[in-house]
Amino acid sequence: MRELHFQDKMDGFQIRLVSDSTKMYTHITIIARNDVGEGFEHSSKYLTFFLHPEVMLGRATKTFNRKNPYGITFDWTRKADIILE
C-alpha cells in the first residue's frame, strides 16, 4: 500500500491518495477532507499489467475532478510526502 499526503490544500481541502496493488489490479482511492469535516472519497480499479502508473493516476484524478460535489480541482503532480507501507 502506498499513501501520498499532499502538503498544500487544494480548494480548501486536504488531499490524500491511497493505492493498493495486487498482481491483477491496482486500486486507487482519492480522499479529500476540509477543516469542517466535510469530505469526498472516490475509488477506481485498473488492470495492473495493462496501464502505466502515471496513466492510472491521470485517469483516477480526471474522474475524481468530474464526480466530486465540492468542485475540487486535484492535480496529483504537485509535491507530496510519500509513505510506503
Side-chain angles (χ1 to χ4, degrees):
M1 176 187 286
R2 293 187 181 146
E3 276 194 46
L4 287 107
H5 295 272
F6 289 85
Q7 297 171 347
D8 301 329
K9 288 189 176 187
M10 295 179 200
D11 299 328
F13 284 81
Q14 189 67 40
I15 304 289
R16 193 174 69 153
L17 191 142
V18 180
S19 72
D20 190 19
S21 194
T22 62
K23 288 185 179 184
M24 186 92 168
Y25 293 103
T26 299
H27 299 271
I28 298 173
T29 304
I30 302 171
I31 304 162
R33 299 261 182 254
N34 66 5
D35 296 334
V36 181
E38 297 172 323
F40 179 72
E41 183 175 316
H42 178 72
S43 296
S44 302
K45 181 170 90 170
Y46 301 98
L47 288 171
T48 301
F49 61 88
F50 190 62
L51 296 171
H52 189 273
E54 288 185 9
V55 173
M56 288 187 269
L57 283 173
R59 289 183 180 182
T61 55
K62 282 181 189 176
T63 306
F64 176 84
N65 289 341
R66 268 195 321 257
K67 294 194 175 195
N68 76 72
Y70 300 104
I72 305 164
T73 303
F74 174 55
D75 181 14
W76 68 272
T77 57
R78 289 188 183 185
K79 188 175 179 181
D81 296 327
I82 299 173
I83 301 168
L84 300 175
E85 294 179 9

